Amino acid sequence: MVKKEIRVIGIDDGPFNKFMDNQVLVVGVVMRGGLYVDGVLSAKSKVDGNDATNKIIKMINKCKFRPQLQCIFLSGIAVAGFNIIDIKELNKKTKIPVIVVIRKNPDIENIKNTLIKINQKNKIKFIENAGKVMQINDIFVQLAGINLEKARKILKIVCTRSLIPEPLRLAHIIAAGIATGESKGRA
Amino acid sequence: MVKKEIRVIGIDDGPFNKFMDNQVLVVGVVMRGGLYVDGVLSAKSKVDGNDATNKIIKMINKCKFRPQLQCIFLSGIAVAGFNIIDIKELNKKTKIPVIVVIRKNPDIENIKNTLIKINQKNKIKFIENAGKVMQINDIFVQLAGINLEKARKILKIVCTRSLIPEPLRLAHIIAAGIATGESKGRA
């Protein structure tokens, strides 16, 4: 059984200009189920840097909602360009299950090739750590510290307004609205 | 009749350090009724400056939600310290009714005296423009371009989660979460 008021966090980054910006806004929205917003967290991550995993771990572990959080949603496994999140490490250091939500089945070989091209092949291990891409309804997920059946139950509760979890939809809207002055597009 | 899905915006500012910060983040949350978040807007206003009215007019008039917006909620009539909003001007330039929401009946004479003390008595006219403070249920309001009866009906729809309109509660949480890394307190 998953409670309707399960406390979760959805994390997404804002848009940025890769030629101008050094850091990117990362926003976390804490919700009870898919309806009530409890709080908003934020951090900054370096464009194409290596700090996303640690920044997100720190953002979550120091927040007052930490003891109640039952699930972390990510919108893909990277923020700020190729600042890739090691979801196994994120799960281990926060002790909270991680569900990565992706709209389209990603071309992982292509991403690995790009990382080699931009001289960041050390990040390929994070992509491997993210594990198998699985389909749930119309979205794709990668999981750490949670099985597919439990993930499916949580998604059923938090996807209140669209295909993707409401805390991710809001994190996207907020990060875009703050970074650019007006939110556009979708998570 | 006020529609349940009435499109409104709630505007609040983030916390700041008056000795360190020059500008303050101002956040607008666009909602349908008191449940669904449609978008987030943002701007910056000068601490104790004179730009809040124009910044907010611009933020609203250029946004894509503008044609649907039926009501602007403000949390008090100032942002960024004593950057006072002229709500009559805001109503006139946006052609949208304005409802200022205040938790406690403000001591207006005291505010006027403070403005004189800090050499900003030119702003007293904005306080006078904000009109009479009236009580609705457990909160206080000031109105521009809308009557008390209509304001009461809109408040009934948008105060879904607390005494204050949900878009104002969220604008407060977002502005605080972005400005400080974690939202604290209440609007």
Side-chain angles (χ1 to χ4, degrees):
Chain A
M1 248 294 279
V2 177
K3 277 192 199 167
K4 273 218 148 171
E5 296 265 288
I6 181 175
R7 192 83 58 110
V8 300
I9 182 167
I11 296 167
D12 203 358
D13 61 342
F16 62 97
N17 179 327
K18 69 177 179 173
F19 303 108
M20 304 267 289
D21 299 329
N22 183 33
Q23 292 208 305
V24 177
L25 179 66
V26 176
V27 172
V29 175
V30 176
M31 293 188 79
R32 281 183 239 165
L35 290 172
Y36 186 84
V37 176
D38 261 335
V40 170
L41 311 177
S42 67
K44 297 233 166 167
S45 254
K46 244 184 123 178
V47 173
D48 293 342
N50 305 294
D51 60 357
T53 310
N54 283 333
K55 285 285 182 75
I56 292 172
I57 290 169
K58 214 172 141 185
M59 179 175 91
I60 290 174
N61 281 344
K62 75 174 186 189
C63 90
K64 66 180 171 187
F65 308 103
R66 167 71 197 77
Q68 285 82 42
L69 287 175
Q70 310 274 332
C71 182
I72 298 167
F73 288 103
L74 298 177
S75 182
I77 62 162
V79 292
F82 283 100
N83 203 330
I84 297 176
I85 302 158
D86 182 347
I87 67 167
K88 267 198 183 150
E89 179 78 2
L90 176 59
N91 169 241
K92 196 175 133 193
K93 290 279 171 68
T94 60
K95 299 184 185 70
I96 304 169
V98 178
I99 301 178
V100 178
V101 173
I102 324 161
R103 282 187 182 271
K104 286 182 185 164
N105 201 345
D107 183 347
I108 291 195
E109 281 316 306
N110 190 23
I111 298 170
K112 284 182 185 174
N113 287 334
T114 305
L115 284 173
I116 291 165
K117 253 190 231 159
I118 63 169
N119 226 356
Q120 302 213 12
K121 70 175 175 192
N122 59 315
K123 294 180 181 172
I124 289 176
K125 64 179 181 291
F126 302 145
I127 292 180
E128 281 159 359
N129 273 355
K132 220 170 68 184
V133 176
M134 289 167 286
Q135 187 165 1
I136 296 183
N137 304 323
D138 290 322
I139 58 171
F140 297 88
V141 298
Q142 288 170 293
L143 308 175
I146 186 170
N147 62 38
L148 191 62
E149 194 195 349
K150 181 86 187 276
R152 195 188 299 271
K153 284 181 185 163
I154 297 180
L155 282 165
K156 209 173 166 186
I157 290 172
V158 298
C159 296
T160 41
R161 308 284 188 186
S162 67
L163 287 175
I164 66 155
E166 184 64 3
L168 275 188
R169 192 185 72 85
L170 289 178
H172 177 81
I173 285 178
I174 294 169
I178 302 299
T180 68
E182 178 170 354
S183 50
K184 284 190 177 83
R186 56 183 202 174
Chain B
M1 247 294 281
V2 177
K3 277 193 198 167
K4 272 219 148 171
E5 296 263 292
I6 181 176
R7 192 83 57 110
V8 300
I9 182 168
I11 296 168
D12 202 359
D13 61 341
F16 62 97
N17 179 327
K18 70 176 179 173
F19 302 109
M20 303 268 288
D21 298 330
N22 183 33
Q23 292 208 305
V24 176
L25 179 67
V26 176
V27 172
V29 175
V30 177
M31 294 188 79
R32 281 183 239 166
L35 291 171
Y36 186 84
V37 176
D38 261 335
V40 170
L41 311 177
S42 67
K44 296 233 167 166
S45 255
K46 244 185 123 177
V47 173
D48 295 340
N50 305 295
D51 60 357
T53 311
N54 282 333
K55 286 285 183 75
I56 292 171
I57 290 169
K58 213 172 143 187
M59 178 174 91
I60 291 173
N61 280 344
K62 74 174 188 189
C63 90
K64 65 180 171 187
F65 307 103
R66 167 71 196 79
Q68 285 82 42
L69 287 175
Q70 309 275 334
C71 181
I72 299 167
F73 289 104
L74 299 177
S75 182
I77 62 161
V79 293
F82 284 98
N83 203 329
I84 297 176
I85 303 157
D86 183 346
I87 67 167
K88 268 199 184 148
E89 180 78 1
L90 176 59
N91 169 241
K92 196 175 132 193
K93 291 280 172 67
T94 59
K95 298 184 187 70
I96 305 170
V98 178
I99 302 178
V100 178
V101 174
I102 324 161
R103 281 187 181 272
K104 286 181 186 165
N105 200 345
D107 182 347
I108 291 194
E109 282 315 305
N110 190 23
I111 298 170
K112 285 182 183 173
N113 287 334
T114 305
L115 284 173
I116 292 167
K117 252 189 233 160
I118 64 170
N119 225 357
Q120 302 214 10
K121 69 177 175 190
N122 59 316
K123 293 180 181 171
I124 288 176
K125 63 179 179 293
F126 303 144
I127 292 181
E128 282 158 1
N129 274 354
K132 218 169 70 182
V133 176
M134 288 166 287
Q135 188 165 2
I136 296 183
N137 304 324
D138 290 322
I139 57 171
F140 297 89
V141 298
Q142 287 170 293
L143 307 175
I146 185 170
N147 63 36
L148 191 62
E149 194 194 350
K150 182 88 187 276
R152 197 189 297 273
K153 283 180 185 162
I154 298 180
L155 282 166
K156 209 173 166 186
I157 290 172
V158 298
C159 296
T160 41
R161 308 284 187 186
S162 66
L163 287 176
I164 66 156
E166 184 65 1
L168 274 188
R169 191 185 73 86
L170 290 178
H172 177 83
I173 285 178
I174 294 168
I178 302 299
T180 68
E182 178 170 354
S183 49
K184 285 189 177 83
R186 55 185 203 174

